[in-house]
Amino acid sequence: MPIEVRLFPCLSDNYGFLVRDTATGDTAAVDTPDGEAVLRELEASGWRLSLILNTHWHPDHTQGNAAVAAATGAQIVGPAEIRRAAPLDREVKGGDEVALGATRFQVLETGGHTLGHISYYDAADRTAFVGDTLFALGCGRLFEGTPAMMWDSLQRLAALPDETTVYCAHEYTASNARFALTLDRSEAVAARAKAVFAARERGEPTVPTTIGAEKATNPFLRAPELVRGDPVEAFAKVRAGKDAFKG
Ligand code: ZN
Ligand code: FE
């Protein structure tokens, strides 16, 4: 039985997600950018929350943990680093599995943005929640990890099937598209950037994306084709370029 996902904007540019296992009705919130917004969305959906799945410790992903858990009794699952910022009930790491009703999420180690960052992958539904590791046309800043660590994490995600639906935690795509256009003059990037600007103009989200779309157009995944150097060096250069990019 498949999952159903509700995406909702939170704070200035975060997305919150509710994921419902349709076999049992069990629901998870992926991160808690804004406790009130998560509870409002739950109320609107009529879904029953049993889990919070945290990707990393940053406050814009964990600050609603306490309020949402108190209001719903949900169990909080995440990497150990969550404790730096918020309550956590069950510590998980790469290779672990998290059950939501009949749905199984594999925990993927995707450090780099923070050291303990993880992603959740539901292979049966080909769906991944990647937090601040991979964005549409972008990737997370390296606040704690090295370029080599982040490159490894991105490769782990790029190895998922092309049709995998990817839920990223921020709407950064228009800025990412402007940056991508400075590096990559391919028709695929031009066409995607045009579609992204039009969607944002209409106020529509550009998330989710797919692994296939990112492999074809994301300048961070394509770094070795766009920039000289070995893959990690090329990636580090593209990341540094985006860090300095104004736009
Ligand atoms: Zn973050
Ligand atoms: Fe974030």
Side-chain angles (χ1 to χ4, degrees):
M1 288 278 277
I3 52 168
E4 240 181 294
V5 179
R6 279 177 82 116
L7 162 154
F8 51 102
C10 287
L11 309 176
S12 56
D13 51 33
N14 281 76
Y15 285 121
F17 308 103
L18 294 180
V19 190
R20 181 174 174 269
D21 170 63
T22 57
T24 60
D26 286 349
T27 299
V30 180
D31 287 331
T32 58
D34 174 342
E36 277 178 30
V38 173
L39 292 173
R40 232 181 293 125
E41 191 70 15
L42 266 174
E43 175 92 47
S45 64
W47 296 353
R48 180 187 72 246
L49 198 74
S50 48
L51 285 181
I52 293 168
L53 302 176
N54 284 135
T55 59
H56 67 296
W57 72 267
H58 285 160
D60 64 312
H61 298 260
T62 55
Q63 61 198 356
N65 277 15
V68 173
T72 61
Q75 186 193 34
I76 307 169
V77 176
E81 67 171 25
I82 299 302
R83 293 206 173 88
R84 287 165 65 173
L88 177 68
D89 299 315
R90 180 185 162 201
E91 216 177 277
V92 292
K93 54 179 179 353
D96 288 347
E97 197 177 81
V98 180
L100 174 72
T103 300
R104 299 285 176 271
F105 288 102
Q106 296 170 26
V107 176
L108 306 178
E109 210 67 59
T110 53
H113 176 70
T114 65
L115 290 178
H117 194 301
I118 59 173
S119 297
Y120 295 91
Y121 175 54
D122 165 10
D125 297 299
R126 297 252 201 274
T127 300
F129 294 89
V130 301
D132 289 357
T133 299
L134 179 64
F135 292 127
L137 289 169
C139 78
R141 278 182 193 258
L142 306 187
F143 286 116
E144 298 178 7
T146 61
M149 186 183 198
M150 188 61 148
W151 178 251
D152 265 15
S153 297
L154 291 173
Q155 293 315 295
R156 201 160 292 131
L157 295 175
L160 300 177
D162 279 359
E163 65 273 25
T164 304
T165 302
V166 177
Y167 288 93
C168 334
H170 288 270
E171 181 59 64
Y172 291 155
T173 320
S175 165
N176 289 341
R178 287 190 286 274
F179 175 69
L181 288 170
T182 66
L183 280 185
D184 189 339
R185 306 310 301 183
S186 72
E187 267 179 48
V189 168
R192 188 169 178 203
K194 201 174 156 197
V196 163
F197 299 143
R200 295 309 296 148
E201 197 80 0
R202 295 190 300 267
E204 290 169 9
T206 62
V207 173
T209 177
T210 65
I211 290 296
E214 296 315 312
K215 276 161 62 182
T217 54
N218 185 309
F220 297 91
L221 295 181
R222 285 171 45 71
E225 291 152 73
L226 301 174
V227 176
R228 250 177 244 277
D230 70 38
V232 172
E233 283 167 7
F235 168 71
K237 284 181 196 163
V238 174
R239 187 58 259 173
K242 179 63 167 73
D243 290 345
F245 181 70
K246 303 270 182 275

